[in-house]
Short mmCIF file of all heavy atoms in Angstrom, two decimals:
data_model
loop_
_atom_site.label_atom_id
_atom_site.label_comp_id
_atom_site.label_asym_id
_atom_site.label_seq_id
_atom_site.Cartn_x
_atom_site.Cartn_y
_atom_site.Cartn_z
N SER A 19 74.34 54.47 86.33
CA SER A 19 74.55 54.56 87.71
C SER A 19 74.67 56.01 88.18
O SER A 19 74.25 56.46 89.32
CB SER A 19 75.80 53.75 88.08
OG SER A 19 76.12 53.90 89.47
N TRP A 124 70.42 74.64 124.99
CA TRP A 124 71.61 74.07 125.61
C TRP A 124 71.47 72.62 125.81
O TRP A 124 72.45 71.86 125.61
CB TRP A 124 71.83 74.77 127.02
CG TRP A 124 72.50 76.16 126.86
CD1 TRP A 124 72.02 77.30 127.31
CD2 TRP A 124 73.86 76.36 126.43
NE1 TRP A 124 72.99 78.31 127.07
CE2 TRP A 124 74.14 77.74 126.54
CE3 TRP A 124 74.83 75.54 125.77
CZ2 TRP A 124 75.31 78.36 126.03
CZ3 TRP A 124 76.01 76.15 125.37
CH2 TRP A 124 76.19 77.51 125.54
N VAL A 149 85.40 72.21 116.25
CA VAL A 149 84.30 73.08 116.45
C VAL A 149 84.35 73.75 117.87
O VAL A 149 84.11 75.00 117.95
CB VAL A 149 82.96 72.19 116.50
CG1 VAL A 149 81.71 72.91 117.01
CG2 VAL A 149 82.61 71.85 114.94
N ALA A 163 82.49 83.91 129.64
CA ALA A 163 82.24 82.68 130.48
C ALA A 163 82.19 81.44 129.49
O ALA A 163 82.42 80.34 130.00
CB ALA A 163 80.83 82.74 131.18
N THR A 170 85.70 73.37 130.77
CA THR A 170 85.11 72.56 131.69
C THR A 170 84.52 71.31 130.96
O THR A 170 84.68 70.20 131.42
CB THR A 170 83.94 73.21 132.42
OG1 THR A 170 84.48 74.29 133.13
CG2 THR A 170 83.30 72.24 133.44
N ALA A 199 91.60 49.16 113.19
CA ALA A 199 91.98 50.55 112.91
C ALA A 199 93.16 50.53 111.86
O ALA A 199 93.27 51.40 111.03
CB ALA A 199 92.45 51.29 114.16
N SER A 203 93.14 52.41 108.31
CA SER A 203 94.09 53.39 107.90
C SER A 203 94.79 53.03 106.61
O SER A 203 95.00 53.92 105.76
CB SER A 203 95.13 53.58 109.03
OG SER A 203 96.20 54.43 108.68
N TRP A 211 96.09 57.12 97.13
CA TRP A 211 96.99 56.84 95.97
C TRP A 211 96.22 56.39 94.80
O TRP A 211 96.56 56.75 93.68
CB TRP A 211 97.98 55.86 96.37
CG TRP A 211 98.97 56.26 97.30
CD1 TRP A 211 99.21 55.93 98.58
CD2 TRP A 211 100.00 57.32 97.03
NE1 TRP A 211 100.23 56.62 99.27
CE2 TRP A 211 100.76 57.50 98.27
CE3 TRP A 211 100.30 58.15 96.04
CZ2 TRP A 211 101.80 58.37 98.43
CZ3 TRP A 211 101.35 59.02 96.09
CH2 TRP A 211 102.10 59.19 97.26
N LEU A 214 94.87 59.34 92.82
CA LEU A 214 95.78 59.99 91.84
C LEU A 214 96.05 59.12 90.70
O LEU A 214 96.31 59.58 89.60
CB LEU A 214 97.10 60.23 92.61
CG LEU A 214 96.96 61.20 93.87
CD1 LEU A 214 98.28 61.26 94.55
CD2 LEU A 214 96.44 62.63 93.45
N ARG A 239 89.05 47.33 95.97
CA ARG A 239 88.06 46.44 96.60
C ARG A 239 86.66 47.02 96.44
O ARG A 239 85.82 46.94 97.24
CB ARG A 239 88.31 46.20 98.06
CG ARG A 239 89.67 45.62 98.35
CD ARG A 239 89.87 45.50 99.91
NE ARG A 239 91.23 45.05 100.22
CZ ARG A 239 91.68 44.91 101.38
NH1 ARG A 239 90.80 44.97 102.45
NH2 ARG A 239 92.97 44.60 101.62
N LEU A 241 85.53 49.94 96.74
CA LEU A 241 85.15 50.84 97.82
C LEU A 241 84.99 52.30 97.25
O LEU A 241 85.55 52.68 96.29
CB LEU A 241 86.36 51.02 98.89
CG LEU A 241 86.57 49.71 99.65
CD1 LEU A 241 87.77 49.89 100.53
CD2 LEU A 241 85.38 49.41 100.55
N ILE A 250 84.79 64.52 94.52
CA ILE A 250 84.44 65.50 93.49
C ILE A 250 85.57 65.42 92.45
O ILE A 250 85.27 65.45 91.19
CB ILE A 250 84.29 66.88 94.09
CG1 ILE A 250 82.99 67.06 94.97
CG2 ILE A 250 84.36 67.91 92.99
CD1 ILE A 250 81.73 66.97 94.06
N TYR A 303 81.90 71.17 108.54
CA TYR A 303 81.77 70.36 107.32
C TYR A 303 83.08 70.23 106.59
O TYR A 303 83.51 69.25 106.08
CB TYR A 303 80.69 70.86 106.33
CG TYR A 303 80.71 70.14 105.10
CD1 TYR A 303 79.90 68.96 104.97
CD2 TYR A 303 81.35 70.55 103.91
CE1 TYR A 303 79.86 68.20 103.88
CE2 TYR A 303 81.27 69.81 102.78
CZ TYR A 303 80.64 68.63 102.70
OH TYR A 303 80.61 67.93 101.54
#
Side-chain angles (χ1 to χ4, degrees):
S19 174
W124 277 120
V149 167
T170 302
S203 176
W211 288 113
L214 300 176
R239 303 181 190 177
L241 293 173
I250 289 288
Y303 176 82

